Amino acid sequence: MYGERFGLLQEYLLDRARDPGVKQANRRLLREFGLRRIDDADLDRIDTPTTALCGRHDRVMLVVHAERAATRHGWGLQVIEDAGHVVFVDQFEASIAALRTAVGG
């Protein structure tokens, strides 16, 4: 969709994501939307096979946190290389392949 400008957009978004003021604003915005951290007890009640997708370069949900969650809750984990937080934008084909693997298709 962005064509040649995608790399520039990605660099800009990464730069903004690293800014302390932007980080603080994003946290507040998420709280305003009513999004909160999901308690481990709630996650433990998930009884459907689950696989988490995480971008290797995700600055919102770090791979180490995704690994911990997958281990703690017994989930599968697919780390998408060369992707950030929005894996389907960064690596669409790899994301679809990871989903197919997760559902056995």
Side-chain angles (χ1 to χ4, degrees):
M1 175 167 89
Y2 293 102
E4 295 174 9
R5 296 176 293 175
F6 182 72
L8 294 173
L9 174 64
Q10 195 171 31
E11 286 178 35
Y12 171 77
L13 293 174
L14 283 173
D15 178 66
R16 296 291 75 219
R18 292 181 184 117
D19 182 272
V22 173
K23 285 182 180 181
Q24 183 179 19
N26 282 336
R27 285 187 195 104
R28 182 171 181 188
L29 184 62
L30 291 175
R31 282 193 306 270
E32 292 291 325
F33 283 147
L35 300 174
R36 62 170 178 79
R37 183 183 178 280
I38 302 171
D39 294 324
D40 282 333
D42 292 332
L43 295 173
D44 285 337
R45 286 197 295 271
I46 296 173
D47 60 0
T48 302
T50 302
T51 297
L53 298 183
C54 183
R56 173 71 65 197
H57 305 291
D58 191 334
R59 302 281 187 226
V60 176
M61 176 63 155
L62 302 177
V63 172
V64 67
H65 297 290
E67 290 169 339
R68 286 183 196 147
T71 298
R72 175 172 172 32
H73 301 291
W75 299 340
L77 174 63
Q78 294 281 336
V79 177
I80 309 299
E81 298 299 329
D82 298 320
H85 185 61
V86 187
V87 294
F88 287 97
V89 171
D90 295 343
Q91 294 294 331
F92 181 78
E93 294 298 326
S95 298
I96 295 298
L99 285 176
R100 285 190 175 127
T101 297
V103 298

XYZ file of all heavy atoms in Angstrom:
831
model
N 0.811 -1.184 0.000
C 0.000 0.000 0.000
C 0.867 1.265 0.000
O 0.525 2.230 -0.641
C -0.916 -0.029 1.228
C -1.733 1.211 1.412
S -3.052 0.986 2.631
C -2.234 1.441 4.123
N 1.974 1.261 0.723
C 2.827 2.440 0.805
C 3.929 2.440 -0.246
O 4.614 3.439 -0.416
C 3.452 2.543 2.198
C 2.440 2.816 3.272
C 1.995 1.812 4.108
C 1.916 4.093 3.434
C 1.063 2.065 5.087
C 0.980 4.352 4.422
C 0.555 3.331 5.248
O -0.368 3.584 6.208
N 4.124 1.312 -0.897
C 5.134 1.229 -1.944
C 6.517 1.571 -1.428
O 6.935 1.091 -0.377
N 7.209 2.402 -2.152
C 8.576 2.775 -1.811
C 8.659 3.555 -0.500
O 9.715 3.607 0.127
C 9.185 3.624 -2.931
C 9.343 2.867 -4.238
C 9.819 3.780 -5.367
O 10.180 4.939 -5.090
O 9.815 3.313 -6.505
N 7.556 4.139 -0.065
C 7.561 4.939 1.159
C 7.460 4.092 2.415
O 7.603 4.601 3.520
C 6.411 5.943 1.133
C 6.562 6.956 0.002
C 5.388 7.859 -0.069
N 4.220 7.047 -0.466
C 2.995 7.484 -0.540
N 2.721 8.722 -0.236
N 2.011 6.699 -0.917
N 7.229 2.785 2.280
C 7.041 1.942 3.456
C 8.261 1.966 4.376
O 8.126 2.061 5.591
C 6.713 0.493 3.067
C 6.478 -0.371 4.262
C 5.327 -0.237 5.009
C 7.420 -1.315 4.648
C 5.103 -1.023 6.127
C 7.204 -2.101 5.760
C 6.040 -1.957 6.504
N 9.458 1.900 3.818
C 10.672 1.932 4.629
C 10.784 3.216 5.428
O 11.161 3.200 6.605
N 10.444 4.328 4.808
C 10.474 5.619 5.506
C 9.438 5.659 6.630
O 9.720 6.142 7.726
C 10.226 6.759 4.528
C 11.295 6.981 3.468
C 10.842 8.024 2.457
C 12.601 7.405 4.129
N 8.259 5.159 6.349
C 7.215 5.109 7.368
C 7.657 4.238 8.537
O 7.498 4.603 9.700
C 5.906 4.583 6.776
C 4.769 4.360 7.774
C 4.343 5.680 8.409
C 3.595 3.677 7.096
N 8.231 3.092 8.238
C 8.677 2.179 9.276
C 9.760 2.836 10.148
O 9.713 2.741 11.370
C 9.197 0.897 8.624
C 9.354 -0.243 9.584
C 9.654 -1.535 8.840
O 10.271 -1.519 7.787
N 9.222 -2.628 9.391
N 10.714 3.511 9.528
C 11.758 4.210 10.287
C 11.155 5.280 11.184
O 11.548 5.427 12.339
C 12.769 4.850 9.334
C 13.707 3.859 8.689
C 14.657 4.546 7.718
O 15.054 5.700 7.992
O 14.985 3.928 6.702
N 10.205 6.029 10.659
C 9.553 7.078 11.439
C 8.818 6.474 12.640
O 8.936 6.961 13.764
C 8.581 7.867 10.564
C 7.709 8.814 11.350
C 8.231 10.025 11.812
C 6.396 8.495 11.650
C 7.437 10.896 12.551
C 5.604 9.358 12.394
C 6.128 10.551 12.850
O 5.348 11.395 13.589
N 8.049 5.419 12.412
C 7.287 4.803 13.490
C 8.210 4.228 14.570
O 7.924 4.340 15.760
C 6.360 3.722 12.936
C 5.223 4.236 12.049
C 4.456 3.063 11.451
C 4.301 5.156 12.826
N 9.317 3.613 14.164
C 10.279 3.105 15.147
C 10.893 4.244 15.943
O 11.063 4.141 17.165
C 11.370 2.289 14.457
C 10.987 0.885 14.043
C 12.106 0.253 13.214
C 10.675 0.020 15.249
N 11.214 5.335 15.282
C 11.770 6.495 15.972
C 10.776 7.025 17.001
O 11.133 7.299 18.143
C 12.126 7.593 14.965
C 12.649 8.826 15.661
O 13.746 8.741 16.261
O 11.966 9.873 15.634
N 9.530 7.155 16.607
C 8.499 7.660 17.526
C 8.270 6.692 18.676
O 8.073 7.106 19.812
C 7.170 7.893 16.796
C 7.204 8.944 15.728
C 7.379 10.390 16.238
N 8.737 10.634 16.653
C 9.152 11.348 17.711
N 8.298 11.927 18.486
N 10.406 11.507 18.012
N 8.300 5.395 18.413
C 8.057 4.395 19.450
C 9.125 4.425 20.530
O 8.874 4.048 21.674
C 7.981 3.003 18.829
N 10.318 4.891 20.192
C 11.413 4.949 21.164
C 11.372 6.204 22.032
O 12.034 6.275 23.050
C 12.748 4.889 20.430
C 13.005 3.551 19.778
C 14.362 3.530 19.083
N 14.557 2.280 18.397
C 14.701 2.155 17.085
N 14.703 3.218 16.311
N 14.869 0.971 16.533
N 10.596 7.195 21.636
C 10.530 8.457 22.365
C 9.775 8.267 23.685
O 8.643 7.780 23.681
C 9.821 9.503 21.502
C 9.770 10.847 22.175
O 8.797 11.089 22.931
O 10.697 11.650 21.953
N 10.378 8.650 24.830
C 9.716 8.460 26.132
C 8.339 9.135 26.217
O 7.409 8.575 26.797
C 10.690 9.082 27.135
C 12.014 9.056 26.452
C 11.721 9.217 24.977
N 8.201 10.315 25.643
C 6.912 11.000 25.676
C 5.846 10.258 24.894
O 4.685 10.174 25.319
N 6.231 9.688 23.768
C 5.290 8.917 22.958
C 4.913 7.627 23.685
O 3.745 7.231 23.701
C 5.875 8.630 21.558
C 4.975 7.683 20.771
C 6.085 9.930 20.792
N 5.889 6.979 24.323
C 5.597 5.763 25.091
C 4.567 6.056 26.175
O 3.606 5.317 26.356
C 6.869 5.211 25.732
C 7.801 4.511 24.789
C 8.985 3.980 25.555
C 9.956 3.271 24.665
N 11.100 2.733 25.413
N 4.782 7.150 26.905
C 3.864 7.523 27.978
C 2.470 7.832 27.416
O 1.458 7.395 27.965
C 4.410 8.718 28.737
C 3.564 9.126 29.914
C 4.158 10.307 30.660
O 4.990 11.037 30.131
N 3.724 10.485 31.888
N 2.421 8.551 26.318
C 1.135 8.879 25.697
C 0.413 7.621 25.225
O -0.802 7.496 25.392
C 1.354 9.840 24.527
N 1.150 6.672 24.650
C 0.540 5.418 24.198
C -0.044 4.637 25.369
O -1.144 4.086 25.266
C 1.549 4.565 23.435
C 1.756 5.037 22.022
O 0.901 5.691 21.448
N 2.902 4.719 21.459
N 0.686 4.580 26.478
C 0.176 3.869 27.653
C -1.127 4.506 28.152
O -2.087 3.814 28.470
C 1.227 3.848 28.762
C 2.343 2.893 28.498
C 3.271 2.773 29.717
N 4.496 2.138 29.319
C 5.651 2.765 29.133
N 5.770 4.042 29.383
N 6.713 2.104 28.744
N -1.123 5.833 28.211
C -2.325 6.528 28.665
C -3.487 6.305 27.702
O -4.624 6.080 28.113
C -2.047 8.011 28.828
C -3.247 8.744 29.348
C -2.965 10.147 29.720
N -4.190 10.735 30.233
C -4.335 11.985 30.505
N -3.318 12.804 30.355
N -5.470 12.441 30.945
N -3.200 6.364 26.417
C -4.228 6.149 25.410
C -4.843 4.758 25.548
O -6.061 4.594 25.488
C -3.641 6.341 24.012
C -4.594 6.251 22.836
C -5.654 7.344 22.919
C -3.829 6.370 21.531
N -4.005 3.749 25.753
C -4.519 2.388 25.928
C -5.420 2.296 27.152
O -6.467 1.643 27.124
C -3.359 1.392 26.022
C -2.574 1.186 24.730
C -1.374 0.284 24.982
C -3.455 0.614 23.639
N -5.019 2.955 28.252
C -5.872 2.967 29.448
C -7.192 3.668 29.174
O -8.253 3.228 29.621
C -5.150 3.636 30.613
C -4.120 2.762 31.281
C -3.654 3.337 32.606
N -3.180 4.709 32.514
C -1.930 5.078 32.262
N -1.000 4.165 32.093
N -1.599 6.343 32.201
N -7.134 4.776 28.421
C -8.353 5.519 28.084
C -9.311 4.667 27.256
O -10.523 4.784 27.384
C -8.014 6.806 27.329
C -7.292 7.840 28.150
C -8.150 8.458 29.248
O -9.367 8.634 29.033
O -7.599 8.760 30.316
N -8.767 3.821 26.403
C -9.593 2.918 25.600
C -10.119 1.746 26.421
O -10.882 0.935 25.930
C -8.802 2.363 24.409
C -8.639 3.324 23.272
C -7.491 3.301 22.507
C -9.622 4.240 22.948
C -7.323 4.177 21.444
C -9.469 5.122 21.893
C -8.314 5.091 21.139
N -9.676 1.650 27.663
C -10.131 0.565 28.526
C -9.337 -0.716 28.347
O -9.745 -1.763 28.830
N -8.218 -0.634 27.648
C -7.380 -1.812 27.472
C -6.474 -1.948 28.683
O -5.847 -0.991 29.110
C -6.548 -1.701 26.195
C -7.367 -1.557 24.914
C -6.446 -1.303 23.738
C -8.202 -2.786 24.672
N -6.435 -3.098 29.244
C -5.615 -3.327 30.422
C -4.841 -4.623 30.257
O -5.152 -5.437 29.390
C -6.484 -3.396 31.667
C -7.485 -4.560 31.625
C -8.175 -4.788 32.940
N -9.136 -5.859 32.847
C -8.854 -7.159 32.868
N -7.609 -7.559 32.978
N -9.800 -8.076 32.777
N -3.865 -4.771 31.113
C -3.107 -6.020 31.141
C -4.054 -7.138 31.552
O -4.873 -6.965 32.449
C -1.974 -5.898 32.155
C -1.097 -7.102 32.207
C -0.030 -6.934 33.307
N 0.785 -8.095 33.396
C 0.450 -9.220 34.025
N -0.703 -9.321 34.637
N 1.269 -10.249 34.054
N -3.964 -8.262 30.889
C -4.800 -9.409 31.225
C -4.089 -10.204 32.315
O -2.923 -10.570 32.177
C -5.072 -10.293 29.992
C -5.740 -9.464 28.902
C -5.915 -11.504 30.364
C -5.848 -10.168 27.570
N -4.791 -10.457 33.395
C -4.211 -11.195 34.515
C -3.854 -12.612 34.107
O -4.562 -13.251 33.310
C -5.193 -11.254 35.685
C -5.456 -9.891 36.304
O -4.507 -9.080 36.373
O -6.598 -9.652 36.729
N -2.763 -13.130 34.698
C -2.351 -14.504 34.413
C -3.456 -15.504 34.740
O -3.626 -16.500 34.040
C -1.077 -14.850 35.190
C 0.166 -14.259 34.548
O 0.169 -14.047 33.327
O 1.150 -14.030 35.275
N -4.208 -15.246 35.791
C -5.299 -16.163 36.158
C -6.324 -16.264 35.035
O -6.847 -17.352 34.752
C -5.960 -15.700 37.453
N -6.612 -15.139 34.379
C -7.549 -15.160 33.248
C -6.953 -15.914 32.063
O -7.649 -16.688 31.394
C -7.914 -13.739 32.824
C -8.750 -13.023 33.870
O -9.478 -13.696 34.623
O -8.668 -11.779 33.923
N -5.675 -15.700 31.809
C -5.013 -16.401 30.710
C -4.932 -17.900 30.981
O -5.036 -18.709 30.064
C -3.619 -15.818 30.469
C -3.595 -14.372 29.981
C -2.162 -13.847 29.945
C -4.247 -14.242 28.615
N -4.764 -18.274 32.240
C -4.702 -19.701 32.601
C -6.010 -20.421 32.300
O -6.026 -21.638 32.130
C -4.360 -19.863 34.083
C -2.901 -19.593 34.392
O -2.064 -19.699 33.468
O -2.593 -19.262 35.556
N -7.115 -19.693 32.237
C -8.418 -20.324 31.980
C -8.668 -20.601 30.503
O -9.653 -21.237 30.148
C -9.529 -19.449 32.546
C -9.607 -19.509 34.070
C -10.929 -18.993 34.595
N -11.137 -17.580 34.344
C -10.752 -16.596 35.153
N -10.119 -16.882 36.261
N -11.008 -15.351 34.852
N -7.796 -20.135 29.629
C -7.963 -20.414 28.201
C -7.721 -21.902 27.981
O -6.655 -22.420 28.289
C -6.986 -19.574 27.348
C -7.300 -18.087 27.502
C -7.065 -20.006 25.875
C -6.288 -17.178 26.839
N -8.739 -22.587 27.479
C -8.596 -24.034 27.286
C -8.601 -24.428 25.809
O -8.711 -25.597 25.468
C -9.681 -24.794 28.052
C -11.086 -24.433 27.612
O -11.242 -23.598 26.702
O -12.047 -24.977 28.197
N -8.467 -23.453 24.948
C -8.378 -23.685 23.511
C -6.908 -23.654 23.108
O -6.162 -22.801 23.597
C -9.128 -22.565 22.756
O -10.481 -22.549 23.200
C -9.070 -22.770 21.265
N -6.465 -24.574 22.262
C -5.066 -24.499 21.822
C -4.754 -23.099 21.299
O -5.506 -22.535 20.497
C -4.991 -25.545 20.703
C -6.090 -26.512 21.029
C -7.190 -25.669 21.637
N -3.664 -22.544 21.773
C -3.328 -21.149 21.488
C -1.893 -21.035 20.990
O -1.002 -21.685 21.528
C -3.503 -20.293 22.760
O -4.858 -20.417 23.208
C -3.179 -18.840 22.519
N -1.699 -20.218 19.987
C -0.353 -19.889 19.505
C -0.256 -18.376 19.414
O -1.122 -17.725 18.844
C -0.082 -20.508 18.122
O -0.125 -21.930 18.245
C 1.279 -20.092 17.585
N 0.788 -17.830 19.992
C 1.036 -16.387 19.933
C 1.940 -16.094 18.742
O 2.862 -16.853 18.451
C 1.690 -15.917 21.226
N 1.666 -15.001 18.057
C 2.542 -14.500 16.999
C 3.229 -13.252 17.530
O 2.582 -12.400 18.131
C 1.758 -14.121 15.747
C 0.990 -15.197 15.019
C 0.338 -14.621 13.774
C 1.877 -16.355 14.655
N 4.511 -13.153 17.303
C 5.262 -11.996 17.777
C 6.315 -11.631 16.746
O 6.990 -12.506 16.208
C 5.931 -12.325 19.115
S 6.810 -10.955 19.858
N 6.448 -10.349 16.468
C 7.491 -9.885 15.564
C 8.830 -9.854 16.290
O 8.914 -9.433 17.438
N 9.865 -10.300 15.637
C 11.208 -10.330 16.240
C 11.619 -8.948 16.751
O 12.293 -8.824 17.756
C 12.220 -10.841 15.210
C 13.667 -10.777 15.622
C 14.055 -11.769 16.680
N 13.932 -13.132 16.171
C 13.884 -14.196 16.980
N 13.951 -14.075 18.278
N 13.760 -15.399 16.458
N 11.178 -7.883 16.065
C 11.580 -6.530 16.427
C 10.431 -5.729 17.041
O 10.436 -4.502 16.990
C 12.140 -5.815 15.189
C 13.255 -6.581 14.553
N 14.485 -6.737 15.149
C 13.302 -7.290 13.397
C 15.254 -7.488 14.380
N 14.558 -7.837 13.309
N 9.472 -6.443 17.634
C 8.335 -5.801 18.282
C 8.817 -5.011 19.491
O 9.462 -5.562 20.375
C 7.316 -6.865 18.703
C 5.988 -6.291 19.145
O 5.956 -5.132 19.599
O 4.990 -7.015 19.055
N 8.516 -3.720 19.535
C 8.908 -2.875 20.658
C 7.778 -2.740 21.676
O 7.964 -2.177 22.729
C 9.295 -1.477 20.166
C 10.418 -1.469 19.171
C 11.743 -1.627 19.876
N 12.827 -1.447 18.918
C 13.855 -2.262 18.861
N 13.950 -3.276 19.668
N 14.804 -2.060 17.983
N 6.598 -3.250 21.356
C 5.465 -3.187 22.271
C 5.403 -4.470 23.092
O 5.306 -4.446 24.313
C 4.145 -2.962 21.501
C 2.954 -2.988 22.445
C 4.208 -1.653 20.725
N 5.440 -5.607 22.409
C 5.430 -6.915 23.068
C 6.753 -7.578 22.725
O 6.891 -8.193 21.659
C 4.253 -7.755 22.568
C 4.220 -9.152 23.122
S 4.027 -9.150 24.886
C 3.295 -10.730 25.153
N 7.721 -7.414 23.602
C 9.049 -7.960 23.344
C 9.003 -9.482 23.240
O 8.199 -10.136 23.916
C 10.015 -7.552 24.455
C 10.191 -6.050 24.678
C 11.128 -5.808 25.867
C 10.718 -5.364 23.433
N 9.865 -10.024 22.409
C 9.914 -11.475 22.213
C 10.095 -12.194 23.547
O 9.453 -13.213 23.801
C 11.024 -11.868 21.212
C 11.200 -13.374 21.168
C 10.707 -11.337 19.823
N 10.932 -11.661 24.417
C 11.168 -12.313 25.711
C 9.870 -12.433 26.511
O 9.635 -13.440 27.181
C 12.277 -11.592 26.506
C 11.855 -10.197 26.932
C 12.693 -12.416 27.716
N 8.992 -11.430 26.424
C 7.712 -11.498 27.132
C 6.778 -12.512 26.475
O 6.057 -13.240 27.171
C 7.053 -10.124 27.185
C 7.852 -9.131 27.956
N 8.014 -9.182 29.323
C 8.561 -8.053 27.545
C 8.777 -8.191 29.724
N 9.131 -7.493 28.659
N 6.803 -12.568 25.164
C 5.988 -13.553 24.451
C 6.468 -14.964 24.785
O 5.659 -15.875 24.978
C 6.050 -13.303 22.947
N 7.779 -15.142 24.867
C 8.334 -16.456 25.227
C 7.909 -16.857 26.635
O 7.528 -18.013 26.867
C 9.860 -16.428 25.119
C 10.363 -16.339 23.699
C 11.862 -16.052 23.597
O 12.464 -15.535 24.568
O 12.417 -16.325 22.526
N 7.984 -15.923 27.558
C 7.566 -16.215 28.942
C 6.088 -16.584 29.009
O 5.714 -17.532 29.695
C 7.847 -15.016 29.847
C 9.286 -14.824 30.163
C 9.475 -13.663 31.121
N 10.858 -13.256 31.134
C 11.273 -12.019 31.319
N 10.398 -11.041 31.516
N 12.555 -11.727 31.319
N 5.255 -15.814 28.307
C 3.820 -16.096 28.313
C 3.536 -17.462 27.693
O 2.742 -18.241 28.232
C 3.065 -14.999 27.559
N 4.184 -17.760 26.589
C 3.971 -19.054 25.925
C 4.384 -20.200 26.844
O 3.673 -21.205 26.960
C 4.750 -19.104 24.614
N 5.513 -20.042 27.521
C 5.981 -21.090 28.437
C 5.028 -21.226 29.623
O 4.619 -22.328 29.980
C 7.405 -20.763 28.932
O 8.286 -20.746 27.807
C 7.896 -21.791 29.939
N 4.661 -20.102 30.216
C 3.802 -20.128 31.412
C 2.442 -20.742 31.109
O 1.905 -21.485 31.919
C 3.605 -18.724 31.951
C 2.620 -18.680 33.130
C 2.558 -17.368 33.803
N 1.577 -17.116 34.791
C 1.014 -17.929 35.658
N 1.310 -19.179 35.682
N 0.119 -17.521 36.524
N 1.872 -20.428 29.961
C 0.508 -20.850 29.668
C 0.429 -22.059 28.737
O -0.666 -22.494 28.396
C -0.279 -19.672 29.081
C -0.322 -18.495 29.999
N -1.012 -18.494 31.186
C 0.294 -17.287 29.924
C -0.841 -17.335 31.801
N -0.046 -16.589 31.053
N 1.584 -22.593 28.329
C 1.585 -23.768 27.475
C 1.156 -23.488 26.049
O 0.593 -24.357 25.390
N 1.417 -22.282 25.565
C 1.041 -21.899 24.212
C 2.168 -22.186 23.245
O 3.330 -22.241 23.602
C 0.765 -20.406 24.123
C -0.334 -19.884 24.971
C -1.356 -20.592 25.525
C -0.520 -18.523 25.375
N -2.172 -19.755 26.240
C -1.678 -18.483 26.164
C 0.180 -17.356 25.135
C -2.161 -17.307 26.720
C -0.302 -16.178 25.685
C -1.463 -16.153 26.465
N 1.806 -22.292 21.985
C 2.804 -22.270 20.940
C 3.241 -20.830 20.724
O 2.549 -19.897 21.140
N 4.365 -20.657 20.088
C 4.849 -19.310 19.783
C 5.500 -19.326 18.417
O 6.349 -20.171 18.139
C 5.859 -18.840 20.833
C 6.545 -17.505 20.548
C 5.538 -16.360 20.519
C 7.638 -17.238 21.572
N 5.090 -18.410 17.568
C 5.701 -18.219 16.261
C 6.303 -16.814 16.252
O 5.571 -15.825 16.377
C 4.656 -18.328 15.147
C 4.047 -19.705 15.004
C 4.962 -20.654 14.267
O 5.812 -20.252 13.494
N 4.779 -21.930 14.510
N 7.615 -16.727 16.151
C 8.295 -15.434 16.059
C 8.511 -15.132 14.582
O 9.126 -15.919 13.863
C 9.628 -15.447 16.832
C 10.348 -14.114 16.668
C 9.386 -15.752 18.307
N 7.980 -14.005 14.148
C 8.066 -13.607 12.744
C 9.302 -12.728 12.562
O 9.407 -11.655 13.159
C 6.803 -12.836 12.299
C 5.519 -13.604 12.653
C 6.877 -12.503 10.815
C 5.380 -14.955 12.010
N 10.235 -13.213 11.771
C 11.476 -12.471 11.519
C 11.189 -11.205 10.716
O 10.228 -11.149 9.951
C 12.480 -13.354 10.768
C 12.907 -14.595 11.543
C 13.607 -14.298 12.864
O 14.294 -13.262 12.986
O 13.457 -15.106 13.797
N 12.022 -10.222 10.896
C 11.926 -8.952 10.161
C 10.555 -8.298 10.307
O 10.035 -7.693 9.364
C 12.255 -9.134 8.671
C 13.678 -9.623 8.471
O 14.580 -9.146 9.203
O 13.900 -10.475 7.606
N 9.948 -8.458 11.491
C 8.637 -7.856 11.746
C 8.659 -7.141 13.086
O 9.399 -7.514 13.991
C 7.544 -8.927 11.735
N 7.815 -6.119 13.170
C 7.638 -5.392 14.415
C 6.337 -5.805 15.068
O 5.953 -6.979 15.046
N 5.619 -4.827 15.631
C 4.398 -5.112 16.386
C 3.252 -5.571 15.494
O 2.453 -6.407 15.895
C 3.997 -3.869 17.185
C 2.843 -4.080 18.082
N 2.872 -4.994 19.110
C 1.616 -3.513 18.112
C 1.710 -4.981 19.734
N 0.928 -4.096 19.147
N 3.176 -5.052 14.306
C 2.058 -5.401 13.411
C 2.592 -6.375 12.367
O 2.904 -6.012 11.235
C 1.448 -4.133 12.766
C 0.187 -4.479 11.993
C 1.141 -3.087 13.829
N 2.682 -7.639 12.777
C 3.352 -8.647 11.947
C 2.701 -8.803 10.575
O 3.388 -9.070 9.601
C 3.439 -10.016 12.666
C 4.326 -9.935 13.884
C 2.068 -10.558 13.031
N 1.386 -8.619 10.489
C 0.707 -8.798 9.204
C 1.033 -7.680 8.225
O 0.936 -7.867 7.024
C -0.809 -8.914 9.388
C -1.211 -10.220 9.975
C -1.451 -10.348 11.333
C -1.310 -11.338 9.174
C -1.792 -11.566 11.879
C -1.658 -12.566 9.707
C -1.899 -12.681 11.065
N 1.389 -6.521 8.731
C 1.806 -5.429 7.853
C 3.253 -5.642 7.440
O 3.609 -5.520 6.270
C 1.635 -4.056 8.544
C 2.271 -2.947 7.719
C 0.162 -3.774 8.789
N 4.087 -5.966 8.416
C 5.520 -6.100 8.150
C 5.857 -7.340 7.323
O 6.695 -7.289 6.433
C 6.304 -6.163 9.463
C 6.206 -4.879 10.263
O 5.818 -3.838 9.694
O 6.516 -4.912 11.467
N 5.227 -8.454 7.628
C 5.551 -9.731 6.967
C 4.264 -10.529 6.766
O 4.011 -11.522 7.458
C 6.550 -10.530 7.816
C 7.908 -9.909 7.937
C 8.638 -9.875 6.614
O 8.427 -10.713 5.740
N 9.511 -8.899 6.455
N 3.459 -10.098 5.816
C 2.156 -10.715 5.603
C 2.255 -12.207 5.303
O 1.604 -13.029 5.944
C 1.402 -9.993 4.480
C 0.039 -10.572 4.228
C -1.007 -10.270 5.078
C -0.186 -11.424 3.160
C -2.267 -10.809 4.870
C -1.441 -11.964 2.935
C -2.482 -11.650 3.799
N 3.058 -12.572 4.324
C 3.150 -13.981 3.915
C 3.663 -14.863 5.056
O 3.154 -15.963 5.284
C 4.032 -14.128 2.678
C 3.460 -13.492 1.430
C 2.121 -14.101 0.997
O 1.923 -15.313 1.193
O 1.288 -13.349 0.460
N 4.682 -14.386 5.776
C 5.214 -15.160 6.902
C 4.174 -15.302 8.010
O 4.093 -16.345 8.664
C 6.480 -14.493 7.447
N 3.371 -14.275 8.203
C 2.321 -14.332 9.226
C 1.249 -15.350 8.857
O 0.798 -16.128 9.704
C 1.687 -12.950 9.415
O 2.647 -12.026 9.859
N 0.856 -15.353 7.599
C -0.135 -16.332 7.136
C 0.435 -17.747 7.268
O -0.261 -18.670 7.713
C -0.570 -16.038 5.674
C -1.308 -14.697 5.604
C -1.398 -17.170 5.098
C -2.587 -14.639 6.406
N 1.682 -17.927 6.904
C 2.321 -19.251 7.026
C 2.344 -19.690 8.495
O 2.099 -20.868 8.796
C 3.723 -19.217 6.444
N 2.629 -18.776 9.405
C 2.667 -19.103 10.826
C 1.278 -19.505 11.316
O 1.136 -20.455 12.093
C 3.203 -17.922 11.625
N 0.260 -18.804 10.857
C -1.105 -19.169 11.237
C -1.492 -20.537 10.699
O -2.105 -21.350 11.397
C -2.101 -18.125 10.727
C -2.140 -16.810 11.482
C -3.108 -15.834 10.809
C -2.561 -17.032 12.925
N -1.092 -20.806 9.460
C -1.390 -22.126 8.889
C -0.701 -23.236 9.672
O -1.302 -24.287 9.925
C -0.968 -22.160 7.424
C -1.920 -21.400 6.532
C -1.631 -21.635 5.066
N -2.645 -20.965 4.269
C -2.386 -20.113 3.305
N -1.143 -19.841 2.977
N -3.370 -19.533 2.650
N 0.522 -22.987 10.077
C 1.250 -23.963 10.892
C 0.522 -24.165 12.223
O 0.350 -25.299 12.682
C 2.691 -23.493 11.147
O 3.370 -23.407 9.886
C 3.440 -24.442 12.068
N 0.080 -23.073 12.827
C -0.578 -23.146 14.129
C -1.876 -23.942 14.085
O -2.200 -24.677 15.021
C -0.856 -21.733 14.663
N -2.613 -23.832 12.992
C -3.886 -24.552 12.900
C -3.752 -25.885 12.183
O -4.742 -26.590 11.943
C -4.988 -23.691 12.231
C -5.265 -22.452 13.059
C -4.652 -23.352 10.807
N -2.524 -26.223 11.827
C -2.281 -27.514 11.195
C -2.711 -27.574 9.750
O -3.047 -28.645 9.237
N -2.676 -26.430 9.072
C -3.152 -26.416 7.692
C -2.128 -26.202 6.725
O -1.280 -25.857 6.258
